[in-house]
Amino acid sequence: MAGSETKERKILVAVDEGEESSYALSWCLNNIVAENSKDTLILLYSKQPPPLYPAMDGTGYVFSTDVIASMEKYGNELAESVMEKAKKLCKEVHDVKVETRVECGDPRDVICKTAEKLGVDMVVMGSHGYGMIKRAFLGSVSNHCAQNVKCPVLIAKRPKSAAPST
Amino acid sequence: MAGSETKERKILVAVDEGEESSYALSWCLNNIVAENSKDTLILLYSKQPPPLYPAMDGTGYVFSTDVIASMEKYGNELAESVMEKAKKLCKEVHDVKVETRVECGDPRDVICKTAEKLGVDMVVMGSHGYGMIKRAFLGSVSNHCAQNVKCPVLIAKRPKSAAPST
C-alpha cells in the first residue's frame, strides 16, 4: 500500500476460538500487512470475566472455590491456546511484529475500549464472535464495534467454500 | 501487503455525496491499495430510483413529466459529480486502475448485489450512508452490508478531528 514501508500502523485483531477470527487474521496478514512493514499486530482476546456469586438467598446453589478455580484455569488455558494458534498463523504468513493482550469482559466492550486506549489505526475481526442464540440477545459483536470504534473496522466473513466439510 | 504485486484484487468502494465516503476511499487508497499493484477499484454509486407514480385517487397530486425529467437530470448530475470527485481523489493518491458503476436502488441492496455479481475481494464504505432520521427507520447501510456481503467489509469512520469546522 502507499507508503506502508514508512508508516508504523497499529492493527488490532480480535481473536477468539472461532474459525471466523482465524480467517480474519489470515486475511489481514495477506491483504493489509505489507511485507517488511513496520506494522504491529495487536492480538486481542476477550476472556469471560470470573463468575461472581454474591450470597444467594434463592436456590442457595454456589460454586465451590475449587470449581471457580478450575473454570479460571480453563479460561486461562483457552486464552493461551487461542493466542498460540494466532501467533503461529502470523509467523506462517510473514514475520510481522506481534503483541498479545488478554482482557476480561464482554468482547464488544473490550474491543472498543482497547482500540481507543491504544489508539490503533484499524480493527480487524470476524463477523461472528458469538453463537446464534447469544447474538440474538446481545446483538452482533462486529456491528457494535463497527458503530462504536472510532477507527476503520474490517469485518471478515469466512467464505462458505472455506468451511470445514463436517 | 504480502504478495500484493501479483494479486489482482477487485475492491468495491461505495461512494456517495457524504464526506464519510470520501474518507473511506482515501483511507483505502492509503492503506489497502499497494503502489504498482494490479488492484482494480470499482467505485459504486447508488442512485435514487426514478419516482413511479401510479394513478392516484387520493390527493390527485402528480408530478408532471417535466418535474420528473428534472429530478432524473439532477440525479444523473449528482452521480457524475460524485464520481468525478472520487476519480480525482484516486489520481491524487496513486495511479490505480479505476472503474465506475452507477446503479439504481437502495444502497444496501445495490452494494450487496454488486459485490456478489462482480465477485469482489473486498468492500470499502463509510459508516454513514444515510442521514440520521433515515438510518433510524431503514437501519444502517454499513451494518446491513457487513452482515450480508460475503467478502470482507471495511467500514471507515471519519475521525472527529477531520470534520469540517463549520
Side-chain angles (χ1 to χ4, degrees):
Chain A
M1 64 225 71
S4 62
E5 292 73 15
T6 50
K7 268 189 286 181
E8 293 183 30
R9 302 182 302 179
K10 281 192 273 186
I11 302 172
L12 185 74
V13 185
V15 294
D16 62 27
E17 304 80 5
E19 286 299 317
E20 201 94 349
S21 94
S22 303
Y23 178 76
L25 173 57
S26 160
W27 197 91
C28 169
L29 288 162
N30 284 305
N31 287 275
I32 308 285
V33 179
E35 200 82 59
N36 307 319
S37 75
K38 288 177 181 164
D39 292 339
T40 300
L41 283 194
I42 301 159
L43 308 176
L44 174 67
Y45 178 78
S46 308
K47 207 171 65 165
Q48 291 280 349
L52 286 175
Y53 298 95
M56 291 178 192
D57 53 359
T59 63
Y61 182 72
V62 193
F63 285 121
S64 74
T65 47
D66 276 5
V67 173
I68 294 176
S70 296
M71 284 166 77
E72 277 190 34
K73 190 167 170 276
Y74 171 71
N76 291 339
E77 282 172 5
L78 195 60
E80 213 171 297
S81 120
V82 168
M83 282 303 186
E84 281 311 312
K85 198 179 153 198
K87 282 195 283 184
K88 202 175 152 224
L89 193 59
C90 293
K91 273 210 174 162
E92 272 170 20
V93 182
H94 48 107
D95 213 18
V96 63
K97 199 174 150 200
V98 173
E99 288 174 15
T100 59
R101 287 182 82 98
V102 178
E103 304 277 351
C104 265
D106 182 316
R108 296 177 304 166
D109 302 327
V110 166
I111 295 167
C112 293
K113 278 183 192 160
T114 310
E116 177 125 28
K117 199 168 119 189
L118 302 182
V120 300
D121 297 284
M122 182 183 191
V123 170
V124 175
M125 58 193 305
S127 71
H128 301 131
Y130 280 144
M132 269 235 308
I133 306 292
K134 210 168 174 183
R135 196 163 59 244
F137 285 99
L138 296 176
S140 154
V141 183
S142 48
N143 273 5
H144 179 91
C145 294
Q147 274 169 0
N148 293 286
V149 168
K150 290 192 178 65
C151 64
V153 175
L154 182 111
I155 300 167
K157 202 173 286 178
R158 202 164 56 124
K160 286 228 171 72
S161 57
S165 56
T166 49
Chain B
M1 64 226 71
S4 63
E5 291 74 17
T6 49
K7 269 189 286 181
E8 293 183 30
R9 302 182 301 179
K10 282 193 271 188
I11 303 171
L12 185 74
V13 184
V15 294
D16 62 25
E17 303 80 5
E19 286 298 318
E20 201 94 349
S21 94
S22 304
Y23 178 77
L25 173 58
S26 158
W27 197 91
C28 169
L29 288 162
N30 285 305
N31 286 276
I32 308 285
V33 179
E35 200 82 59
N36 307 320
S37 76
K38 288 177 180 165
D39 291 339
T40 301
L41 283 194
I42 301 160
L43 307 176
L44 173 67
Y45 179 77
S46 309
K47 207 170 67 166
Q48 291 280 351
L52 285 175
Y53 297 95
M56 291 179 193
D57 54 2
T59 63
Y61 184 71
V62 194
F63 285 122
S64 75
T65 47
D66 277 4
V67 173
I68 294 177
S70 295
M71 284 167 79
E72 276 190 37
K73 190 167 171 278
Y74 172 72
N76 292 338
E77 282 172 3
L78 195 60
E80 214 170 297
S81 117
V82 168
M83 282 304 186
E84 281 311 313
K85 196 179 154 198
K87 282 196 283 184
K88 201 174 152 225
L89 192 59
C90 292
K91 274 210 173 160
E92 273 170 18
V93 181
H94 49 106
D95 214 16
V96 64
K97 199 174 151 200
V98 173
E99 288 174 14
T100 59
R101 288 182 82 97
V102 177
E103 303 277 352
C104 265
D106 182 315
R108 295 175 305 166
D109 301 328
V110 165
I111 295 167
C112 293
K113 278 183 192 159
T114 310
E116 178 124 30
K117 199 167 119 191
L118 302 182
V120 299
D121 298 285
M122 182 182 188
V123 170
V124 175
M125 59 195 303
S127 71
H128 301 130
Y130 280 143
M132 266 230 315
I133 306 293
K134 210 167 174 185
R135 195 162 62 242
F137 284 99
L138 296 175
S140 154
V141 183
S142 49
N143 272 6
H144 180 90
C145 294
Q147 274 170 0
N148 292 286
V149 168
K150 291 192 177 64
C151 65
V153 176
L154 182 111
I155 301 167
K157 200 174 289 177
R158 201 164 58 122
K160 286 227 170 75
S161 57
S165 55
T166 48

